[in-house]
Amino acid sequence: MDTETQKIIREPRPAKQTYSFRVLFIAAEMGNTSFLIELIRQYPDLIWKVNDDKQSIFHIAVKHRHEGIYNLLYEIGAMKDLITPLKDPNDNNMLHLVGKIAKQKRLNDVSGVALQMQRELLWFQEVREMIPPSYRERVNKDGLTPHELFTMEHKELVSQGEKWMKGTASQCMVVAALIATIVFAAAFTVPGGYDQNNGVPLFHSKATFMVFVVADAISLFASSASILIFLSILTSRYAESDFLDSLPKKLISGLLTLFLSIITMTVAFGVSFFILYNKGLLWIPVLICVFAVFPVLLYIWLQYGLFFDVIRSTYISRYIFKPKKQVLYYKNPNV
């Protein structure tokens, strides 16, 4: 760091900024982004200040996983290369700080241990791209690079994430196997039976019968695909990097194919009653179809939280580090 920057950071504080400087790091630790922005707008030089551990507000934001404050780095331009390399007394730079596991309160903001590990990986990947390349492999006083520190700190989280992912995959795999068994048997016990002379299904010419056949086949293929996907989750190597993309995307695919198999199984079940009771007793298949919708809605209600959390964590969370608009420095429309 050049001497001019060091002078700016360590220069004595004006009396009117004493209170601002004291609350600056408290606001950063608590994640009070709006208050911090207003404070910096009044006293722009506060952005250069460091605490007793030689950490800026951005280091504290990274340490406590406050993305709103961290994203202010995108607004200060090239000056960020003078702030991100700052080291604490233990030679920990910003990447070392994100290598340390977040506090449990911040981890609990994401449901599911595997998704918590994914969020930690997203933070590490983001900060790694932010700091100068020459600082990515620097060692601290313990002789650890940021990635070595990350691996050591997150070893238990990886283990718990593996158990959570395997437990979820195992339970879903059992359901998929049951559906595959049912629809496979249904394919050879079609409604109405077969013609004893030529073996052709009696209702093969009906449109509803074709719907039954197609729905049953899709259910069988979807449930079989779901089994294979969940099996791949169970046999995964569970490396750190797998929690970032591979495992969450497999879980999404498995849940989607399982949902498809349930829907098509229900369709095949309901249509079979239209084939058998299409004359005079139409109210029976209609009533059956109404009740058949219940398990589909129940699956959506029970699995919606998990599915949405995986989608949000895998695809939407990547954009928390890309601010859509400037909030620190803005143009006054009246000027």
Side-chain angles (χ1 to χ4, degrees):
M1 183 183 304
D2 60 289
T3 56
E4 185 63 24
T5 304
Q6 292 180 3
K7 180 180 178 181
I8 294 174
I9 293 177
R10 295 179 174 82
E11 65 181 354
R13 301 187 303 275
K16 65 179 182 179
Q17 292 186 11
T18 301
Y19 173 76
S20 300
F21 183 67
R22 186 170 64 250
V23 301
L24 179 70
F25 300 105
I26 297 177
E29 183 175 345
M30 298 299 294
N32 195 335
T33 307
S34 58
F35 174 78
L36 194 63
I37 290 173
E38 291 301 322
L39 195 63
I40 295 175
R41 283 175 179 172
Q42 295 181 41
Y43 310 112
D45 64 308
L46 289 179
I47 204 170
W48 295 99
K49 300 301 180 180
V50 295
N51 60 11
D52 295 336
D53 292 327
K54 300 180 181 179
Q55 295 175 347
S56 69
I57 56 173
F58 304 107
H59 290 73
I60 295 176
V62 165
K63 182 179 179 180
H64 295 278
R65 308 298 195 266
H66 297 307
E67 61 273 4
I69 300 173
Y70 169 83
N71 284 337
L72 298 179
L73 278 172
Y74 283 99
E75 298 190 35
I76 63 177
M79 290 188 297
K80 72 180 188 302
D81 293 332
L82 302 175
I83 297 177
T84 55
L86 291 174
K87 298 185 293 184
D88 65 13
N90 293 319
D91 288 341
N92 292 310
N93 59 33
M94 186 177 285
L95 195 55
H96 281 99
L97 295 179
V98 80
K100 296 181 179 180
I101 192 168
K103 293 183 178 180
Q104 191 61 43
K105 182 179 179 181
R106 293 298 296 170
L107 288 176
N108 290 338
D109 289 344
V110 181
S111 62
V113 187
L115 302 183
Q116 292 173 2
M117 182 62 192
Q118 183 190 48
R119 180 62 63 87
E120 289 289 277
L121 284 166
L122 285 173
W123 265 101
F124 188 83
Q125 186 181 64
E126 165 63 25
V127 176
R128 189 177 187 276
E129 295 299 322
M130 178 64 72
I131 69 171
S134 60
Y135 286 83
R136 296 171 184 173
E137 299 299 327
R138 296 284 182 91
V139 297
N140 57 16
K141 286 189 176 180
D142 294 325
L144 297 174
T145 64
H147 186 267
E148 290 172 343
L149 181 61
F150 182 90
T151 300
M152 183 180 68
E153 288 276 329
H154 292 79
K155 185 180 298 183
E156 181 63 25
L157 193 62
V158 170
S159 178
Q160 294 177 3
E162 179 180 351
K163 292 179 182 178
W164 182 87
M165 188 66 75
K166 284 185 175 180
T168 303
S170 297
Q171 295 169 10
C172 293
M173 188 175 178
V174 170
V175 177
L178 289 174
I179 294 174
T181 303
I182 293 171
V183 296
F184 181 82
F188 299 99
T189 55
V190 296
Y194 300 89
D195 190 321
Q196 297 297 322
N197 297 320
N198 54 24
V200 176
L202 294 176
F203 298 109
H204 71 280
S205 59
K206 292 182 175 293
T208 51
F209 182 83
M210 297 306 299
V211 174
F212 167 82
V213 172
V214 173
D216 189 80
I218 293 176
S219 183
L220 176 61
F221 299 149
S223 58
S224 299
S226 183
I227 292 172
L228 295 176
I229 293 171
F230 289 124
L231 181 61
S232 69
I233 293 177
L234 294 175
T235 57
S236 178
R237 60 176 184 165
Y238 286 95
E240 286 178 5
S241 57
D242 291 340
F243 287 91
L244 187 60
D245 283 312
S246 176
L247 289 173
K249 288 181 178 179
K250 286 180 181 179
L251 184 58
I252 292 172
S253 300
L255 291 174
L256 280 175
T257 51
L258 179 59
F259 181 56
L260 177 61
S261 67
I262 292 175
I263 291 178
T264 49
M265 178 188 67
T266 304
V267 170
F269 178 79
V271 169
S272 65
F273 283 89
F274 279 97
I275 298 174
L276 297 174
Y277 301 100
N278 62 333
K279 294 182 179 179
L281 297 174
L282 191 60
W283 65 271
I284 294 180
V286 171
L287 182 63
I288 293 298
C289 288
V290 170
F291 283 107
V293 175
F294 176 73
V296 176
L297 297 178
L298 185 63
Y299 178 88
I300 296 175
W301 180 61
L302 294 175
Q303 299 298 328
Y304 169 79
L306 173 61
F307 184 74
F308 180 75
D309 285 341
V310 180
I311 290 288
R312 180 178 59 183
S313 182
T314 304
Y315 296 103
I316 302 177
S317 293
R318 297 179 184 277
Y319 298 98
I320 64 176
F321 302 112
K322 301 182 185 299
K324 296 180 180 180
K325 61 180 181 179
Q326 289 188 337
V327 294
L328 188 59
Y329 304 118
Y330 64 96
K331 295 182 179 180
N332 191 334
N334 298 322
V335 177

